[in-house]
Amino acid sequence: MDEKASYKDAGVDIDQANLFIKRILPLIKLTSRKEVMNSIGGFGGLFHLDLKKIKDPVLVASTDGVGTKIKIAQMMNKHDTVGIDLVAMSVNDIVVQGAEPLFFLDYIAIGHMDVERNVQLIEGVVAGCQEAGCSLIGGETAEMPGIYAKDEYDLAGFCIGVVENGKIIDGSDIHVGDLVIGIASNGIHSNGYSLVRNVLFEKAGLNVLDHLEGIENSLGEELLRPTRIYVKPILNLIKNFNVKGIVHITGGGFFDNIPRIVPRQCCTAIKKASWPVPPIFNRIQEIGNIEEDEMFRVFNMGIGMMLVVSEKEAGDIMERLNMLGEKAYIIGSIEKAAPEQSSVSLI
């Protein structure tokens, strides 16, 4: 009973945690906006909302994670992209309501303080925040031996944005005859990875170094493609056009996400052949013998964001998206729903 106990002996290394904070401080400063009032290290992040720019502000909040895509990062021992995914999942959810992301916080749960790996994670978060134009103003890294294995970790992110009360985009102006514009994804993004891993690794016995037909990168590289962040092009569009509704194609794919903004009396008709589906989705479907409806319910199928716009403005919006470097396609239309008809139809 004379043996002395310490936190380090119990699996939590405070010195390494302090070294980690020291390493990431210069990175975090890269995301700073003028509204940020303090640096990392306080009990909470301070952000001064500039009411000169917005008369009747509504704050929009979102939280999300990366899901089992983290398993791919661990298999590849490559951790500098899932932080981008983490930011993307929240900021994309905020911008669909017309809001500008302001600041972001991260939560990293780990089994062991691996400073180099954790710095990579923050490098990704910083890159995502820079792309979205928001500040990383705080976070938490929780070392929890006994809950997570030594090399395991999980991520969660939290974002706050702001929109003028009268400019919230909620789909209420959507009418029959409006068109649906799809903006290309960058692959699988961050949803459906439990099915991906089950099909490719467990059933097919593939590994991250394998190559699939029609795909240049290794399987691991393809699966780790970071989620596209659509904040800047979307904010550009809503300043110049009347965008009636925006859909972020995340968990639930087409069938669960589109009805979130389209009125119940309407049906969204999606033309499946109107955009190129990235080869990774075709390979997953073939190898797993997955039905088409299931693919569209789980994955983005090459479309990461959808816009519902009037037919009159569709051409100009397409032209603007192309000018912004986005690959965009008119992929469907809003129609009057027949009795008992599904709210989304694939044609």
Side-chain angles (χ1 to χ4, degrees):
M1 296 297 294
D2 293 333
E3 184 177 350
K4 295 181 179 179
S6 70
Y7 212 6
K8 185 174 183 179
D9 292 336
V12 179
D13 193 329
I14 295 175
D15 292 332
Q16 286 294 102
N18 289 334
L19 175 60
F20 170 57
I21 295 296
K22 184 178 180 180
R23 289 278 303 276
I24 65 174
L25 280 175
L27 296 173
I28 294 171
K29 289 180 181 179
L30 298 175
T31 71
S32 184
R33 294 171 50 129
K34 64 180 181 180
E35 299 97 329
V36 177
M37 298 178 64
N38 66 329
S39 60
I40 297 294
F43 289 101
L46 300 176
F47 190 96
H48 185 267
L49 188 60
D50 186 358
L51 297 180
K52 294 178 183 178
K53 295 173 59 177
I54 190 164
K55 296 178 181 179
D56 187 10
V58 174
L59 296 179
V60 183
S62 179
T63 182
D64 212 332
V66 181
T68 59
K69 188 173 185 176
I70 287 173
K71 288 289 187 181
I72 310 299
Q74 292 170 345
M75 293 166 71
M76 291 284 288
N77 193 27
K78 179 176 171 56
H79 310 280
D80 59 348
T81 60
V82 287
I84 300 174
D85 292 295
L86 184 67
V87 176
M89 296 304 287
S90 285
V91 298
N92 285 342
D93 278 353
I94 280 178
V95 79
V96 299
Q97 294 172 90
E100 176 190 359
L102 298 176
F103 58 84
F104 188 85
L105 298 96
D106 65 76
Y107 174 81
I108 306 175
I110 59 176
H112 169 72
M113 177 55 71
D114 183 330
V115 173
E116 295 302 324
R117 178 201 63 200
N118 291 356
V119 168
Q120 287 186 44
L121 293 173
I122 295 299
E123 286 175 342
V125 172
V126 166
C129 286
Q130 289 178 303
E131 179 64 24
C134 62
S135 291
L136 179 58
I137 67 168
E140 166 71 2
T141 303
E143 191 171 7
M144 295 187 286
I147 301 296
Y148 294 92
K150 181 180 178 181
D151 295 322
E152 288 183 347
Y153 63 86
D154 196 10
L155 304 174
F158 313 86
C159 189
I160 299 294
V162 66
V163 60
E164 188 80 55
N165 191 16
K167 296 182 179 180
I168 297 172
I169 298 174
D170 59 8
S172 59
D173 293 333
I174 292 174
H175 298 293
V176 172
D178 289 336
L179 298 181
V180 180
I181 294 175
I183 307 177
S185 69
N186 191 30
I188 299 175
H189 283 183
S190 295
N191 296 104
Y193 276 82
S194 292
L195 178 56
V196 169
R197 293 186 302 109
N198 176 261
V199 168
L200 298 182
F201 300 132
E202 296 174 21
K203 291 185 176 179
L206 299 171
N207 66 63
V208 292
L209 299 180
D210 287 332
H211 284 75
L212 296 180
E213 180 184 353
I215 299 174
E216 181 178 352
N217 295 326
S218 71
L219 185 55
E221 291 170 331
E222 183 66 29
L223 297 180
L224 271 188
R225 285 181 182 270
T227 305
R228 287 285 318 283
I229 292 176
Y230 298 94
V231 170
K232 291 178 181 178
I234 295 297
L235 290 179
N236 182 293
L237 286 179
I238 63 180
K239 288 178 181 178
N240 296 283
F241 300 98
N242 177 28
V243 179
K244 298 184 177 185
I246 311 177
V247 183
H248 182 204
I249 304 300
T250 57
F254 285 57
F255 290 108
D256 290 346
N257 285 299
I258 296 175
R260 295 165 76 172
I261 61 111
V262 176
R264 290 185 179 180
Q265 67 270 24
C266 295
C267 169
T268 306
I270 299 295
K271 299 178 182 179
K272 296 178 294 184
S274 57
W275 76 91
V277 175
I280 185 63
F281 295 109
N282 298 323
R283 300 292 86 78
I284 292 169
Q285 184 175 10
E286 292 167 1
I287 295 171
N289 191 26
I290 303 170
E291 294 184 354
E292 183 180 70
D293 276 5
E294 180 72 359
M295 291 295 295
F296 277 87
R297 190 178 301 279
V298 175
F299 300 112
N300 67 63
M301 299 301 288
I303 299 294
M305 195 74 79
M306 293 182 188
L307 314 174
V308 181
V309 303
S310 69
E311 184 178 6
K312 181 175 67 174
E313 285 198 297
D316 290 336
I317 291 174
M318 288 286 292
E319 186 177 339
R320 176 62 64 93
L321 284 168
N322 290 329
M323 184 185 73
L324 293 171
E326 298 292 335
K327 295 179 181 178
Y329 315 89
I330 295 178
I331 65 171
S333 59
I334 305 298
E335 302 178 355
K336 184 176 176 57
E340 307 302 322
Q341 182 179 11
S342 171
S343 58
V344 179
S345 64
L346 303 175
I347 58 178

